[in-house]
Amino acid sequence: MNVDQSLILIALLMLLLPLVGAGIAGLLGHQLGRTTTHRIVNSLIGLSFFLSFYLFFIFVIKRHLAIDHTFYTWATAGVVRFNVAFLLDPLSATMAMIVLFISFMVHIYTIGYMHDDPGYTRFFSYMSLFTFSMLILVLANNFLLLFFGWEGVGLVSYLLIGFWFKRDSAVLGGLKAFLVNRIGDIGFLLAIAAVFLYFNSLNYHDVFLQVPLITTKTMSVFNHPVSVITIICLLLFIGAMAKSAQVPMHVWLPESMEGPTPISALIHAATMVTAGIYMVARMSPLFEYSPFMLSTILVIGGTTAFFMGLLAIVQNDIKRVIAYSTISQLGYMAVALGASAYDAAIFHLITHAFFKALLFLAAGSVIIALHHEQDMRKMGGLAAYLPVTYITFVIGTLALCALPPFSGFYSKDIIIEAVQLSSLPGAYYAYLCVLAAAFVTPLYMFRTLFLTFHTKSRIEDSLKGHIHESPWVVLIPLILLAIPSVIAGQMLIGPMLFSQTKLLGDAIFVLPQHNVLETLATKYHGANTMALEAGTTGVFWLAMAGIITAWLFNVRFPHWSDILKKRFYWLYVILQNKYGFDQFNQKVFVKGTLETSHLFYDVGDVIVIDGIAVNGSGRVIRWFAQTMRRMQTGYLYHYALVMLLGILFFLFWFMWG
């Protein structure tokens, strides 16, 4: 067995272990019991993670050549084959490692968080199945298998968000996520159909090789010729907008907070919400031939980064603050994609996975300590009660606020500089948005930190005597996530961004345009240079200004917040209403759909089908029967008269017809 075959078997085993765990927990969980179930499932996820780490070492550190392997053929259509096949390269190996590391930490954390939940084993089954679907998505070498994993992630996320199905808010949150993602999936499915139509293949390698030949082809849209590549990229990005919560299809993500906290970490850190970012990065050879779509992504990403960050300022639920920060950071990743800095987008995806999972799990530790209280207005002074949770939350906050030497500093700073170098239309707008977001992010995150762990305690007296640090099964994942939140940026920026062969550079395709990261690689010689020069950048001082502002308005002069709220009450109302997206969707789409359905019912069902087709035909037959009945008089002279008239009619017809 050669090296490539060994790596393929390792990848296959890595993929199947979570599926086996899902089956054991789902089918045998009640018979095995809680302890045995979580031991088996966590062991399988842990083994899968270590296999993924080995693949990461081989493909990212050792730079092994990409492997494109077919396992079997699903179906054939003429000369086209639909295969179950893997693509092992630096991008897929990196994504698999991140997904499994976050999943492994969340599985361990779940033992403590969901200890008393009656759906304990079912929860482990869903999480493992979610991990399996995500691995299918990142390992696929063709659009069809990618769509299979894409839909699997969407389905299981619906089950996880609505896990507490006896709560109406959880059911509605899961339904909202499901419906919004189905809208995006329509665009994604149409994109796959267009790819098959014009490229006659769904294999990445075959499609990417043909892209230069398709650039001149157009299709008519409202009697205007539009590039086929642009149409395909637009449809692909519609799918990415729904999965990765870009404006205006972001509305489902805050509602997903109704699910258990471990799921908030799993979905919002490195898995479902980053699937769209990964997909656009994987399809970069297509997007590079559509400057219009790159500009569109820049504008949408910049808008998402800044305006969704503003919404986090007025949130009082600790999980919703972190959820809106996720949307904002996804906007940063989208901006990097629009600036053709695909490696930087994936790099931020990786660093964000660590500190965002850390923040969600630390917030869950706070929620456990306060007996599932999530309102920050009922917290305060928790640093003395929860020291480990406090320290890890501080680390996650500093990483999210992009302060050196924490991991978020390197990835976010690179994105801001990359978009500054872009010359595409919309790049300057995106640059201003991400700069403003660099101030807003510390503002809402340190507000959360101060209201939760500092300031005067606002905790109910009945709870104060029962507050204590979470058990070690909860704290261990926090500590393990805090470590890469500090050092991952310094360790990974070299091999991922500043090496001769970058994350996407040695895959089975070559980017057709100049990568802006090459310019930044000549400016910085490594992580230390970036950290030392941080104090000379405006981004650093914007972050410091955000921290100081949060301290002034929440610790030193808290009454200033009330004064500001009264002075700009109109702005506060706009932010509280989330820019009216939910009201618009409710009035236009929900109410509009109901009104349309009522119209179709009143006209189509009541009038046309019941009134005309069913009851109308019955009335016609009854009228005809009653009319014919009157003709049956029983008198012979009546019948003779009718016969005579009939003979005369046919006689005239024969003579003059």
Side-chain angles (χ1 to χ4, degrees):
M1 183 181 295
N2 58 36
V3 176
D4 286 2
Q5 291 175 329
S6 300
L7 293 174
I8 291 166
L9 288 177
I10 289 173
L12 182 61
L13 183 61
M14 176 190 72
L15 171 71
L16 295 179
L17 287 175
L19 180 62
V20 173
I24 291 174
L27 300 175
L28 303 175
H30 289 296
Q31 289 80 2
L32 295 174
R34 295 184 173 217
T35 303
T36 304
T37 299
H38 76 235
R39 285 177 179 173
I40 293 174
V41 174
N42 287 8
S43 298
L44 294 173
I45 292 291
L47 179 57
S48 187
F49 162 66
F50 287 114
L51 294 175
S52 72
F53 187 80
Y54 176 74
L55 292 177
F56 175 81
F57 177 78
I58 294 297
F59 284 98
V60 178
I61 306 301
K62 292 295 185 181
R63 292 294 172 178
H64 191 284
L65 294 177
I67 300 174
D68 196 342
H69 179 77
T70 300
F71 289 98
Y72 67 92
T73 300
W74 257 348
T76 58
V79 296
V80 181
R81 300 167 66 89
F82 303 106
N83 297 322
V84 175
F86 285 174
L87 172 59
L88 298 177
D89 66 353
L91 180 57
S92 59
T94 301
M95 286 295 297
M97 188 269 290
I98 294 299
V99 167
L100 282 164
F101 177 70
I102 301 300
S103 180
F104 187 33
M105 294 299 100
V106 170
H107 274 73
I108 296 173
Y109 181 91
T110 299
I111 298 173
Y113 192 90
M114 301 291 288
H115 183 265
D116 298 323
D117 197 281
Y120 187 80
T121 56
R122 177 167 57 92
F123 192 75
F124 274 96
S125 177
Y126 288 170
M127 286 199 301
S128 292
L129 187 59
F130 184 92
T131 306
F132 166 77
S133 300
M134 193 67 196
L135 290 175
I136 284 282
L137 190 154
V138 302
L139 292 175
N141 90 327
N142 61 79
F143 285 90
L144 191 60
L145 193 59
L146 171 68
F147 188 71
F148 177 81
W150 189 275
E151 289 298 289
V153 166
L155 173 61
V156 184
S157 66
Y158 164 74
L159 298 174
L160 286 168
I161 294 169
F163 181 78
W164 288 322
F165 53 83
K166 293 184 180 179
R167 289 166 43 180
D168 291 341
S169 57
V171 174
L172 293 175
L175 182 61
K176 192 172 188 177
F178 188 81
L179 292 176
V180 173
N181 277 277
R182 293 294 75 74
I183 295 171
D185 292 347
I186 292 173
F188 192 31
L189 195 58
L190 290 173
I192 294 174
V195 168
F196 185 69
L197 176 65
Y198 285 95
F199 293 89
N200 200 33
S201 175
L202 294 179
N203 182 278
Y204 296 159
H205 185 265
D206 297 338
V207 171
F208 296 157
L209 288 177
Q210 296 181 61
V211 170
L213 306 176
I214 307 295
T215 53
T216 58
K217 291 190 175 182
T218 60
M219 63 173 65
S220 179
V221 178
F222 300 113
N223 295 324
H224 293 283
V226 180
S227 168
V228 167
I229 298 295
T230 296
I231 294 295
I232 292 174
C233 290
L234 174 62
L235 295 172
L236 285 172
F237 190 64
I238 289 173
M241 286 173 65
K243 273 286 188 292
S244 293
Q246 299 296 296
V247 173
M249 302 179 75
H250 66 283
V251 292
W252 68 270
L253 195 142
E255 305 304 322
S256 66
M257 292 297 100
E258 297 298 334
T261 298
I263 289 314
S264 301
L266 188 63
I267 290 177
H268 300 149
T271 51
M272 178 176 172
V273 295
T274 56
I277 303 298
Y278 163 79
M279 185 267 286
V280 175
R282 176 63 81 189
M283 304 304 154
S284 54
L286 285 168
F287 282 88
E288 281 294 291
Y289 281 97
S290 178
F292 170 80
M293 276 310 303
L294 293 177
S295 293
T296 302
I297 295 172
L298 276 168
V299 172
I300 292 176
T303 303
T304 303
F306 175 60
F307 288 97
M308 293 301 105
L310 289 177
L311 295 184
I313 299 174
V314 299
Q315 300 300 312
N316 296 309
D317 186 313
I318 187 171
K319 285 175 62 176
R320 286 183 180 265
V321 173
I322 303 173
Y324 278 109
S325 80
T326 298
I327 302 176
S328 179
Q329 297 307 303
L330 290 168
Y332 271 96
M333 299 176 206
V335 164
L337 296 173
S340 296
Y342 303 100
D343 297 280
I346 299 299
F347 182 44
H348 192 54
L349 184 156
I350 294 167
T351 59
H352 173 265
F354 295 129
F355 60 73
K356 187 50 60 69
L358 173 62
L359 287 170
F360 268 116
L361 296 186
S365 181
V366 171
I367 294 168
I368 293 172
L370 297 180
H371 298 273
H372 295 278
E373 177 60 65
Q374 298 180 195
D375 194 335
M376 296 184 297
R377 293 171 296 185
K378 299 179 181 179
M379 299 180 187
L382 287 175
Y385 296 96
L386 312 172
V388 178
T389 300
Y390 169 67
I391 292 172
T392 54
F393 195 92
V394 169
I395 291 173
T397 299
L398 293 173
L400 176 58
C401 296
L403 294 176
F406 297 90
S407 60
F409 161 73
Y410 299 98
S411 55
K412 187 183 287 189
D413 230 44
I414 285 293
I415 290 175
I416 294 174
E417 293 204 42
V419 70
Q420 186 180 15
L421 294 174
S422 177
S423 58
L424 288 171
Y428 186 67
Y429 167 79
Y431 176 66
L432 293 178
C433 284
V434 293
L435 271 183
F439 167 79
V440 171
T441 302
L443 179 60
Y444 64 72
M445 280 311 302
F446 273 85
R447 170 181 176 265
T448 303
L449 181 68
F450 293 142
L451 291 179
T452 304
F453 294 99
H454 297 281
T455 67
K456 183 180 179 181
S457 176
R458 299 171 299 280
I459 302 169
E460 296 179 6
D461 294 335
S462 59
L463 292 177
K464 286 184 178 179
H466 303 283
I467 300 174
H468 56 80
E469 187 62 274
S470 300
W472 281 107
V473 73
V474 170
L475 297 180
I476 288 174
L478 296 183
I479 296 170
L480 293 177
L481 284 166
I483 295 171
S485 295
V486 177
I487 66 174
Q490 303 170 49
M491 294 179 62
L492 298 178
I493 190 170
M496 288 192 174
L497 299 186
F498 295 157
S499 64
Q500 293 298 318
T501 52
K502 304 181 186 67
L503 191 64
L504 293 174
D506 62 347
I508 59 172
F509 57 86
V510 178
L511 294 179
Q513 292 188 11
H514 173 71
N515 196 321
V516 294
L517 294 178
E518 294 179 3
T519 304
L520 296 178
T522 59
K523 178 180 179 180
Y524 298 114
H525 301 289
N528 293 333
T529 307
M530 286 191 65
L532 291 173
E533 295 182 6
T536 64
T537 64
V539 178
F540 174 81
W541 293 109
L542 282 171
M544 296 304 297
I547 295 172
I548 295 171
T549 304
W551 177 77
L552 288 173
F553 279 84
N554 294 282
V555 180
R556 186 68 181 87
F557 305 107
H559 62 280
W560 284 9
S561 297
D562 297 327
I563 296 173
L564 198 64
K565 189 186 302 182
K566 291 178 182 178
R567 181 68 58 87
F568 297 98
Y569 185 72
W570 59 272
L571 179 59
Y572 177 75
V573 171
I574 291 174
L575 296 179
Q576 280 282 29
N577 290 329
K578 307 166 192 173
Y579 305 117
F581 280 106
D582 287 330
Q583 292 88 332
F584 177 82
N585 292 336
Q586 187 70 26
K587 290 181 180 179
V588 175
F589 295 111
V590 177
K591 189 176 179 180
T593 302
L594 288 173
E595 294 295 333
T596 304
S597 64
H598 284 307
L599 177 64
F600 279 115
Y601 170 75
D602 293 336
V603 176
D605 194 57
V606 176
I607 297 177
V608 177
I609 297 176
D610 288 343
I612 297 176
V614 179
N615 297 334
S617 60
R619 284 193 292 268
V620 170
I621 293 173
R622 185 175 61 181
W623 172 84
F624 183 76
Q626 290 175 346
T627 303
M628 294 302 296
R629 186 182 63 183
R630 293 191 183 95
M631 296 179 65
Q632 304 296 323
T633 61
Y635 295 108
L636 289 175
Y637 58 87
H638 285 169
Y639 300 150
L641 177 62
V642 172
M643 292 173 62
L644 180 60
L645 292 174
I647 292 171
L648 291 174
F649 172 77
F650 284 109
L651 182 62
F652 280 108
W653 178 269
F654 178 75
M655 294 178 64
W656 289 286

